Amino acid sequence: MPHRRFKKSHPIESISNLPELGMKPKEIEGDIKSYYGHRLGRDENCKSVHYVYEALSLAVSDRLTERWKKTYNAYRKEDCKRAYYLSMEFLMGRTLSNAMLNLGIDDAVSQACYDLGLDLEELIDSEPDAGLGNGGLGRLAACFIDSCATLQLPVTGYGLRYEYGMFSQLIVNGEQVEEPDHWLRNGNVWEVQRLEYTQRIKFGGHTETHLDEKGNSRVYWVDSHDVLAVPFDVPVPGYQNGTVNTLRLWKATATDEFDLQEFNAGDYAESVAAKNGAENITMVLYPNDANENGKELRLRQQYLLASASLQDVLALWIGRHGNDFTDFAEKNCFQLNDTHPSIAVAELMRLLIDIHGLKWDAAWAITKSTMAYTNHTLLPEALERWSVNLFKQLLPRLIEIIFEINARFLSEVSARWPGDLSRIARMSLIEEGGQQHVRMAYLAIVGSYSVNGVAELHSKLLQQGLFHDFYELWPEKFNNKTNGVTPRRWLAACNPELAELITETIGDGWLTDLSLLKKLELHIDDKVFCDRWYAVQQAAKQRLIDYKKQELDIDVSVNALFDVQVKRIHEYKRQLLNVLHVIHLYDRIKRGDTANWTDRCVLIGGKAAPGYYMAKKIIKLINNVANVINHDPEVGDKLKLIFLPNYRVSAMEKICPGADLSEQISTAGKEASGTGNMKFMMNGALTIGTLDGANIEIREEVGDENFFLFGLTETEVESLRNNYDPVAIIKQDEDLQRVMNLLECGHFNQFEHNIFDGIVNSLKSPHDPWITIADFRSFVDAQKQVELAYQDKERWIKMSIINCANSGKFSTDRTISEYNNELWKLTPVKVNN
Ligand code: N85
């Protein structure tokens, strides 16, 4: 019998020394076949596309892993400063095509698939989205880590590995029905479980104070019910630069001894069942995009993310520097994606003091120079507040620390404003009155060195409004970082025809320096170029039609203006205003007012939070109006209204290349930034929009004449609130009267009495927070300008080119460079291949 033991004490070198993987079609082809036949054990009898997708993905994934290890080693060797992006959501979408693009093997893979007789498009489309986010905030995190890798910055994403991602949306009888998204059902080739980095997380129990072995008083958190956080790592490749960063997602599991205790008590089955309790923590993503719900499970999720991630970072530090935290703050920083992970402020204090023995002041100095907080909304209903009682039960040590932070902070406030009791009450981390609550945004502000908004207007409103007291105290903490999107996924990968035309015209430098798109403007008078631009866009529109065809069974002409609004359904985003305009167009057709008509196809898509009554009613209204319009022979090609079900990242990749007009019509002051607006612009769509969020900066970049502006400004909105009279506005506007009349008489709900009463009443209410009626006339007029522009094909093409050419600012490469230059101060690390 040969010995099964390794001969040497360190056998690792001998098995770690791998030959480099080839990037040529034949080499990739060989790996695909080998994975398919050997690892997956399939042959010609297998009819499922899935295993072919898996074989190809494994081949691609190996090539990522090679670079991943080199990146890891390069960071280790440099002992460089690192940043950590803490987020409850990473809305990654699909991985395969992006990985191919960033590895620079898309042509080789195409060739390999062609030679094997495989349909690459079909394989790519068989991948489920990683829908680990709600909307803008989650997708921003995904674009950010893409840019960090492309800029070769040592940044790790930390998030949660939800078993169920964002629900799938079905439309049944015009209404949204939610179906659970079990995205891991068929396994996930892109993740690697790392049991060796498992962390232990405490919940419940109580605290005790004792003297430690050195005679110092120390707090112990005891009798807790612990859970394990197991990391699953996902590779995040930069654009053709050898860097592969890490997204580390935590899964909650039960500890072994938890079972054992129960087992000894004789209740084996109960104890195994209790495992579920632990695993429930990362079972499901909460599907609210603008509403905090105060559920205990959600607080457990937040704490698990914060605690596991911080323990992980501290373990890495201690592995290298021992228990010496002197330089910790110089070498680490944490960007908090909204308040969702802001419990990290208190948790870092706990770990440094209770576990690593630092004194309060030293721990606080580290905390407030490593944490930075990004705010994503001004909506009061989205501001997180946790009940102090819940905190005491679930995280007894953390609430003690929060109270201590608050006491010290409030004494700073009263030193600055002696006797100003109302200011102290306003600024306290604890909201009084009935039940006490922790104001998580205030905890994040007090515990951070930076507070930023996500567009200029939004950051200004934070300083003047929501966080004004804090701005007065620490003006230097506040700053703006206008959002962006990654041009790799949102132009190169999703619109390869346009990308190719751009590259042929100006070279390929734009992929990593999007400001170079500006050069396209030199070609707007080149007839051949403009014709090609038009042809590419028409082809994208045709593809969008084809993609939806089986599902929708509606004939749409590519010559119609494709007018698109896709985003979460929310009253502030005003899908209702869009519908009012559609009803107005329908009414014009029925009245025969169609001289110089522009055919239009209005596409609306988005998910409503399952508990958001009005948002669900809006979906029903869109579908009912669509049903009437699309089946009216008198309307014909002039107007179509389509609700796109189950909007998600992979859907946007198909939608944004085919849009002519991008609807960004939120009530001014309510949309923090918006990022869909940037994706559309980058792909050559024109925007109709209010002066809200990043629309303002988009308009600045493209120029007033290339943007369809309408609506009240934020200041006008606020001053109108006290004397807003929508009924009077309706009375004075004949078109609007007719639209409201169609709604009120039940024209769109003939056999469903009164179902839209809630919508009608909210529109007509003087307290409508979104003042939709006030912007109707201005919106309709701007839409007329859109039609005029669209009728002049040459003018439209030029405007389209100008929009794309000026989208350079909205690359997350620019955004991340600003985060890095002003806040993180990391040095890029080259990875040698
Ligand atoms: N904000 C956003 O997407 N917010 C959330 O998804 C969200 C989830 C959640 C859960 C968007 C609990 C409580 C509150 C919550 C803004 O609306 C966009 O304007 N909020 C902005 O472009 C985007 O964040 C990225 O900054």
Side-chain angles (χ1 to χ4, degrees):
M1 271 285 283
H3 284 292
R4 294 243 175 99
R5 277 184 292 117
F6 289 113
K7 283 200 215 108
K8 291 185 270 179
S9 56
H10 290 289
I12 307 302
E13 287 82 12
S14 61
I15 62 166
S16 302
N17 194 2
L18 289 168
E20 257 179 42
L21 293 169
M23 307 290 259
K24 300 210 186 68
K26 276 287 157 233
E27 294 156 329
I28 294 168
E29 192 185 316
D31 286 1
I32 296 173
K33 287 164 80 171
S34 161
Y35 275 123
Y36 191 75
H38 297 142
R39 160 91 181 260
L40 303 175
R42 308 288 140 170
D43 57 22
E44 66 279 6
N45 296 314
C46 177
K47 298 287 179 287
S48 162
V49 180
H50 170 74
Y51 295 102
V52 185
Y53 155 77
E54 202 159 276
L56 168 58
S57 297
L58 287 165
V60 172
S61 163
D62 283 351
R63 286 153 176 87
L64 287 176
T65 305
E66 223 174 26
R67 287 156 186 78
W68 204 1
K69 289 185 290 189
K70 285 187 179 153
T71 306
Y72 178 85
N73 288 325
Y75 293 166
R76 238 173 86 105
K77 194 165 141 244
E78 299 272 319
D79 193 21
C80 47
K81 179 174 186 185
R82 293 171 188 236
Y84 302 96
Y85 199 79
L86 268 56
S87 177
M88 292 283 286
E89 306 187 4
F90 284 91
L91 190 41
M92 300 298 284
R94 291 177 177 152
T95 298
L96 175 59
S97 58
N98 187 250
M100 283 164 30
L101 174 73
N102 282 12
L103 283 168
I105 56 170
D106 37 4
D107 288 341
V109 171
S110 294
Q111 184 66 49
C113 287
Y114 181 84
D115 293 345
L116 289 167
L118 302 172
D119 178 350
L120 179 55
E121 276 313 302
E122 185 190 23
L123 300 180
I124 288 172
D125 278 337
S126 74
E127 180 178 351
D129 278 39
L132 309 185
N134 274 282
L137 169 150
R139 183 55 228 176
L140 186 75
C143 285
F144 274 9
I145 56 176
D146 176 277
S147 280
C148 289
T150 294
L151 294 167
Q152 306 198 291
L153 298 174
V155 176
T156 299
Y158 276 115
L160 296 180
R161 181 181 177 276
Y162 303 107
E163 213 74 40
Y164 291 84
M166 189 63 199
F167 63 81
S168 287
Q169 179 192 54
L170 304 179
I171 300 297
V172 178
N173 185 30
E175 287 175 60
Q176 167 174 301
V177 174
E178 300 93 15
E179 214 170 52
D181 164 43
H182 196 189
W183 70 293
L184 294 167
R185 188 184 345 250
N186 294 319
N188 176 13
V189 299
W190 304 106
E191 66 185 12
V192 180
Q193 186 177 11
R194 297 267 170 175
L195 282 171
E196 67 274 32
Y197 298 119
T198 297
Q199 302 294 342
R200 206 183 168 90
I201 314 297
K202 289 170 175 280
F203 290 104
H206 62 272
T207 64
E208 289 172 2
T209 308
H210 302 289
L211 295 181
D212 66 13
E213 59 279 10
K214 289 189 193 137
N216 296 316
S217 164
R218 238 159 130 147
V219 180
Y220 297 84
W221 179 357
V222 299
D223 288 343
S224 56
H225 295 279
D226 299 357
V227 176
L228 298 180
V230 178
F232 286 71
D233 286 358
V234 181
V236 181
Y239 181 70
Q240 299 181 8
N241 62 3
T243 295
V244 177
N245 281 340
T246 301
L247 169 60
R248 179 160 283 186
L249 301 176
W250 300 102
K251 174 193 163 103
T253 68
T255 58
D256 288 340
E257 78 267 22
F258 187 41
D259 297 344
L260 206 64
Q261 282 167 13
E262 302 279 335
F263 188 43
N264 290 340
D267 211 343
Y268 174 76
E270 288 275 302
S271 76
V272 176
K275 261 181 182 289
N276 261 322
E279 302 199 341
N280 272 341
I281 296 179
T282 50
M283 194 56 74
V284 62
L285 166 80
Y286 278 93
N288 308 322
D289 72 322
N291 221 321
E292 59 105 22
N293 63 13
K295 289 276 193 315
E296 173 183 328
L297 187 64
R298 168 94 177 164
L299 183 56
R300 285 184 190 264
Q301 292 184 338
Q302 296 187 349
Y303 181 64
L304 184 122
L305 168 64
S307 182
S309 308
L310 291 172
Q311 290 188 61
D312 199 41
V313 172
L314 290 178
L316 184 71
W317 179 263
I318 287 163
R320 188 114 193 179
H321 305 262
N323 230 8
D324 179 359
F325 290 90
T326 325
D327 296 335
F328 184 82
E330 269 113 81
K331 293 260 179 160
N332 295 281
C333 65
F334 303 95
Q335 192 70 42
L336 307 176
N337 199 19
D338 217 298
T339 55
H340 316 154
S342 63
I343 185 67
V345 167
E347 176 65 2
L348 183 56
M349 291 298 286
R350 183 186 76 85
L351 293 169
L352 291 174
I353 296 170
D354 296 358
I355 309 295
H356 301 291
L358 271 68
K359 293 274 180 292
W360 181 279
D361 289 339
W364 186 240
I366 288 175
T367 301
K368 72 179 180 14
S369 50
T370 50
M371 297 276 168
Y373 157 56
T374 304
N375 172 284
H376 295 268
T377 183
L378 293 151
L379 299 184
E381 61 269 34
L383 296 179
E384 291 194 301
R385 302 160 341 136
W386 288 109
S387 121
V388 167
N389 284 333
L390 176 60
F391 247 109
K392 282 183 177 157
Q393 257 180 47
L394 204 62
L395 306 168
R397 178 57 180 143
L398 284 114
I399 194 69
E400 291 174 4
I401 291 172
I402 291 171
F403 272 100
E404 180 68 25
I405 293 173
N406 194 37
R408 291 167 183 249
F409 165 63
L410 291 181
S411 77
E412 201 178 326
V413 174
S414 65
R416 169 81 193 267
W417 290 282
D420 192 344
L421 294 182
S422 74
R423 188 184 292 263
I424 288 177
R426 282 202 311 271
M427 295 181 81
S428 173
L429 305 194
I430 306 299
E431 185 180 87
E432 305 288 341
Q435 262 219 47
Q436 288 185 315
H437 284 90
V438 183
R439 295 161 162 157
M440 299 307 278
Y442 294 4
L443 175 64
I445 297 172
V446 171
S448 297
Y449 67 93
S450 165
V451 178
N452 76 279
V454 290
E456 277 166 20
L457 174 69
H458 171 233
S459 297
K460 189 187 92 180
L461 294 174
L462 286 179
Q463 293 167 24
Q464 294 178 348
L466 196 58
F467 298 152
H468 184 68
D469 288 324
F470 292 88
Y471 178 65
E472 281 194 314
L473 182 59
W474 299 308
E476 67 287 349
K477 270 195 197 186
F478 287 77
N479 63 93
N480 173 247
K481 297 284 169 282
T482 298
N483 282 167
V485 303
T486 169
R488 270 75 63 185
R489 183 177 293 259
W490 296 113
L491 181 51
C494 75
N495 201 348
E497 292 75 13
L498 191 64
E500 202 181 307
L501 174 58
I502 294 171
T503 297
E504 249 181 67
T505 312
I506 62 168
D508 66 0
W510 60 273
L511 277 148
T512 48
D513 178 359
L514 205 64
S515 68
L516 293 175
L517 288 180
K518 189 80 184 164
K519 290 191 190 168
L520 289 172
E521 284 192 345
L522 299 171
H523 302 268
I524 53 170
D525 293 318
D526 175 346
K527 172 94 172 55
V528 177
F529 176 69
C530 290
D531 286 350
R532 288 184 66 193
W533 190 273
Y534 180 72
V536 164
Q537 299 226 304
Q538 291 298 101
K541 288 167 74 174
Q542 186 59 52
R543 270 199 306 281
L544 177 50
I545 297 173
D546 296 343
Y547 154 66
K548 282 285 149 196
K549 197 140 203 169
Q550 305 108 321
E551 216 176 307
L552 295 169
D553 192 31
I554 304 172
D555 276 329
V556 179
S557 156
V558 269
N559 294 316
L561 169 77
F562 279 29
D563 169 347
V564 186
Q565 186 178 25
V566 284
K567 49 184 82 225
R568 289 300 289 258
I569 309 292
H570 199 292
E571 288 161 285
Y572 86 81
K573 294 179 188 280
R574 296 202 296 195
Q575 282 90 358
L576 270 182
L577 181 58
N578 195 350
V579 176
L580 294 182
H581 174 246
V582 172
I583 296 174
H584 165 66
L585 291 178
Y586 166 74
D587 178 53
R588 276 183 56 196
I589 295 169
K590 297 304 276 184
R591 287 194 333 245
D593 175 13
T594 56
N596 293 320
W597 189 263
T598 304
D599 291 350
R600 190 190 285 255
C601 175
V602 179
L603 300 146
I604 304 179
K607 292 174 183 174
Y612 189 172
Y613 176 84
M614 279 298 265
K616 289 187 141 177
K617 276 279 183 255
I618 292 169
I619 291 177
K620 173 67 172 160
L621 176 65
I622 297 166
N623 281 299
N624 277 23
V625 172
N627 201 30
V628 169
I629 290 178
N630 300 342
H631 293 108
D632 186 333
E634 211 181 327
V635 175
D637 276 349
K638 291 191 181 64
L639 182 62
K640 293 275 183 270
L641 174 59
I642 295 174
F643 187 85
L644 301 167
N646 203 26
Y647 175 62
R648 61 200 189 282
V649 173
S650 61
M652 183 56 152
E653 289 170 9
K654 301 208 155 70
I655 294 165
C656 71
D660 293 307
L661 184 68
S662 149
E663 300 260 355
Q664 307 300 335
I665 61 178
S666 51
T667 311
K670 299 300 170 195
E671 188 70 272
S673 162
T675 45
N677 47 3
M678 302 168 184
K679 294 164 198 165
F680 284 116
M681 177 199 198
M682 218 170 261
N683 283 275
L686 276 60
T687 305
I688 183 165
T690 47
L691 284 178
D692 198 15
N695 295 351
I696 297 173
E697 292 158 72
I698 287 178
R699 181 163 169 267
E700 263 166 33
E701 296 296 303
V702 294
D704 305 1
E705 65 288 2
N706 298 302
F707 185 102
F708 299 100
L709 178 69
F710 78 97
L712 300 175
T713 63
E714 185 272 330
T715 328
E716 288 165 347
V717 167
E718 290 317 312
S719 61
L720 180 63
R721 285 202 191 286
N722 300 324
N723 48 4
Y724 176 47
D725 187 353
V727 174
I729 298 173
I730 293 166
K731 234 190 219 155
Q732 284 158 24
D733 188 324
E734 206 181 307
D735 289 335
L736 181 52
Q737 247 178 65
R738 300 179 63 92
V739 168
M740 293 305 290
N741 184 48
L742 281 171
L743 270 177
E744 285 175 87
C745 78
H747 188 71
F748 304 107
N749 50 314
Q750 301 204 357
F751 305 101
E752 300 166 301
H753 292 300
N754 307 111
I755 59 169
F756 299 130
D757 289 3
I759 287 183
V760 170
N761 291 338
S762 77
L763 288 169
K764 291 170 83 171
S765 162
H767 308 295
D768 172 19
W770 325 112
I771 57 154
T772 304
I773 292 298
D775 277 344
F776 176 81
R777 177 45 47 194
S778 159
F779 185 53
V780 169
D781 290 346
Q783 289 284 17
K784 281 192 189 135
Q785 296 304 311
V786 171
E787 284 156 16
L788 278 178
Y790 193 70
Q791 283 171 9
D792 182 347
K793 199 168 114 183
E794 276 175 28
R795 175 177 164 212
W796 188 275
I797 296 168
K798 283 187 179 151
M799 290 169 83
S800 166
I801 296 168
I802 291 171
N803 265 269
C804 173
N806 290 286
S807 64
K809 174 173 178 185
F810 306 106
S811 165
T812 34
D813 297 347
R814 188 269 313 150
T815 313
I816 288 298
S817 298
E818 290 177 7
Y819 274 93
N820 190 46
N821 295 337
E822 294 164 37
L823 306 178
W824 305 341
K825 303 186 190 293
L826 312 174
T827 312
V829 178
K830 286 227 153 43
V831 180
N832 294 320
N833 292 295

